[in-house]
Amino acid sequence: MMRPDDLTEVAAAMRSAGVGRLELKGPDFHLVLACGAGDAPVATEVALAQPDAEIVPVAAPGLGTFLRTHPLHDRPLAGDGEAVAAGQAIALLRIGALLTPVPAPANGLIVGALPEDGALVGYGDRLFDFLPQE
Amino acid sequence: MIEILSQSASASIQDLGRFSAVRWGVGTAGAMDRLALLCGNILLGNADDAAGIEAQVFPFEVRFDTDLAFALTGADCAATLDGLPLLPWSSSRAQAGQVLRLGLPQAGRWRGARTYLAVAGGIDVPVVLGSRSTQLRGAIGGLDGRVLRQGDRLPVGPLPGTGIIAGVMPPGLALPLAADELPAVRVLPAAEHDAFTGGSLARFWAEPWKITPQSDRYGFRLAGPGLEPKAPLEVRSHGIVPGVIQVPHSGQPIVQMCDAQPSGGYPKVGTVIDADLWRLGQMPIGTRFRFIRVDWNKALAAREEVEGWLTEVRRVTALLRARRAA
């Protein structure tokens, strides 16, 4: 059984190997490790979910250009591994001059995004892996 | 109803301005960034001339007494609704009792000075001389012709029921304008332009100007290289409009803004074009910016560019509304 102290080591190994996301699932645990791109420090957000929690997709509510960051901002609306509240905007779909929000389906964690930032996505496309939490 | 919770807000009720009474000496007032207020009204499905709140001192707080859609545009001030963050340049829904808080304007990729709170139905104060804008000099319009105070409760008009929950690309990013990496506004030379020396005019057009702390809704006093008349200039008092750049004896220009009186006697070196007044109206005190000289045709083209962008905002808003209704 893995101990919390081991996580630092695993995270360092992920960084040196260039692994952005690690997911471990057991009978009584569910662990998601995510780390930022480039030289950013390894994100230490760790999910210890309910045993029956399942990763669910967040689908695009419409067509548009997938943006994880508001055009005025430097930080993403919700980074990988970040906890978000139900209804919170976790990405934007740009259609011409408008930006439509993609809401979080529940309280939970952003596991990771599937499309590249700036990619054109269509209705129903899987945008995020999402881990609902109580 | 919405209730003002902030103690000293210097926020005011504004719409697009009062243009029908200038001939009687009544200044236009109106939003310093009309484009921002208009975007809020478009998202909410309001009439273009629905009134909103212009906030220019932060933090600023209001409480919604009823469930209500609202939009925040203009300066990004890290707004929250009952503590939850809101996106800038976006509409949202509030429930009765929720508190909207506007924090300090953020530096970000485009920095503004004024935030607009538009509500579905508009702020329903009486129309005075064709507008709901607060005219502070004449103490008319808005709420009793004054800035808003703690405890003020503002009525909201009938809900349009055609709004969408979405955001708009900030025009500061969609319609950027810069000169030598400084923000800029375009200017038409005015009647007394050629009465200034060539050297001082060259500096006027080529060097940065700074917005001094003696700047408000009435006018922006600028600091920079200074303008020198070829000979002492005396001009009789005459009609002026927001955007006119007056040159008092100090040589340091004053740009007349929305609360300017409609007449003045200083010589005018130029006029900030109507299409760029929103840019200037959003520049915080201390901003260094440039003037770009344009002719009449370029000024009209700039207006068409803004109109074209607004048409696009309206088109996509209608598209999304239709899709959500389907």
Side-chain angles (χ1 to χ4, degrees):
Chain A
M1 180 63 197
M2 184 183 272
R3 289 168 298 130
D5 291 353
D6 298 334
L7 292 176
T8 319
E9 204 176 315
V10 174
M14 281 170 67
R15 179 163 58 177
S16 65
V19 174
R21 191 172 60 147
L22 179 75
E23 193 177 332
L24 283 177
K25 215 169 175 180
D28 61 347
F29 74 100
H30 190 159
L31 173 69
V32 180
L33 282 178
C35 63
D39 299 327
V42 169
T44 51
E45 281 96 346
V46 168
L48 284 169
Q50 297 301 312
D52 54 350
E54 290 288 344
I55 287 182
V56 297
V58 179
L63 169 141
T65 303
F66 179 67
L67 300 177
R68 295 195 68 180
T69 306
H70 189 278
L72 283 176
H73 296 163
D74 293 322
R75 284 166 49 86
L77 293 162
D80 290 352
E82 202 168 299
V84 294
Q88 183 184 331
I90 55 177
L92 298 166
L93 297 180
R94 180 176 176 177
I95 312 161
L98 289 201
L99 302 162
T100 61
V102 177
N107 295 338
L109 288 179
I110 304 290
V111 178
L114 286 92
E116 292 286 318
D117 210 8
L120 187 66
V121 298
Y123 176 81
D125 282 358
R126 185 171 177 150
L127 301 180
F128 288 97
D129 282 339
F130 186 80
L131 188 64
Q133 289 186 312
E134 285 306 305
Chain B
M1 301 278 264
I2 60 177
E3 182 179 345
I4 307 298
L5 302 181
S6 301
Q7 274 188 354
S8 167
S10 88
S12 58
I13 296 170
Q14 299 293 343
D15 59 16
L16 300 180
R18 182 176 285 106
F19 291 89
S20 60
V22 179
R23 63 183 179 280
W24 297 316
V26 179
T28 62
M32 292 278 272
D33 180 353
R34 276 184 279 165
L35 207 44
L37 180 60
L38 201 43
C39 284
N41 281 334
I42 292 171
L43 287 177
L44 295 170
N46 284 345
D48 284 356
D49 61 354
I53 296 174
E54 178 182 278
Q56 51 182 359
V57 174
F58 304 94
F60 177 71
E61 278 188 349
V62 301
R63 184 193 292 119
F64 295 93
D65 287 0
T66 48
D67 293 4
L68 196 62
F70 65 95
L72 290 174
T73 52
D76 173 11
C77 50
T80 56
L81 184 65
D82 271 4
L84 290 176
L86 297 171
L87 290 176
W89 287 88
S90 295
S91 54
S92 313
R93 281 193 191 90
Q95 289 167 347
Q98 285 193 306
V99 172
L100 172 69
R101 184 177 201 272
L102 312 184
L104 296 179
Q106 306 290 297
R109 289 166 193 249
W110 172 81
R111 186 167 179 194
R114 295 177 168 82
T115 300
Y116 294 85
L117 166 61
V119 295
I123 305 289
D124 194 16
V125 289
V127 173
V128 179
L129 295 173
S131 165
R132 293 185 173 87
S133 282
T134 312
Q135 222 279 0
L136 294 171
R137 197 184 291 275
I140 59 164
L143 187 70
D144 304 331
R146 59 166 173 81
V147 294
L148 298 173
R149 291 200 289 250
Q150 188 177 36
D152 281 344
R153 288 162 58 84
L154 309 178
V156 173
L159 299 185
T162 50
I164 59 166
I165 300 301
V168 181
M169 268 300 279
L173 300 181
L175 305 166
L177 185 67
D180 294 337
E181 297 181 8
L182 286 179
V185 292
R186 287 163 285 198
V187 170
L188 282 167
E192 289 80 42
H193 177 269
D194 294 341
F196 295 93
T197 65
S200 70
L201 282 174
R203 290 189 292 275
F204 173 80
W205 293 112
E207 293 187 21
W209 292 90
K210 188 174 170 184
I211 299 174
T212 70
Q214 288 76 46
S215 299
D216 53 24
R217 283 185 46 91
Y218 291 93
F220 283 9
R221 285 182 179 269
L222 307 181
L227 282 156
E228 299 148 16
K230 289 173 182 165
L233 272 172
E234 292 294 339
V235 184
R236 286 192 181 174
S237 197
H238 55 277
I240 56 172
V241 293
V244 161
I245 308 170
Q246 296 182 319
V247 185
H249 301 304
S250 67
Q252 299 290 321
I254 305 166
V255 189
Q256 297 298 316
M257 299 302 282
C258 296
D259 281 345
Q261 58 186 18
S263 65
Y266 289 128
K268 308 171 297 296
V269 66
T271 305
V272 177
I273 64 171
D274 202 50
D276 282 350
L277 276 179
W278 64 274
R279 300 180 194 274
L280 193 58
Q282 281 290 10
M283 288 183 197
I285 283 169
T287 301
R288 292 169 75 245
F289 72 101
R290 283 277 302 274
F291 290 124
I292 298 174
R293 183 173 179 167
V294 291
D295 59 19
W296 180 252
N297 287 333
K298 282 186 180 159
L300 290 180
R303 187 164 74 180
E304 276 167 28
E305 188 190 20
V306 170
E307 289 299 326
W309 183 79
L310 278 171
T311 302
E312 167 69 4
V313 172
R314 292 182 204 278
R315 185 186 69 83
V316 185
T317 303
L319 197 77
L320 288 176
R321 183 184 301 142
R323 197 166 76 196
R324 284 172 197 185

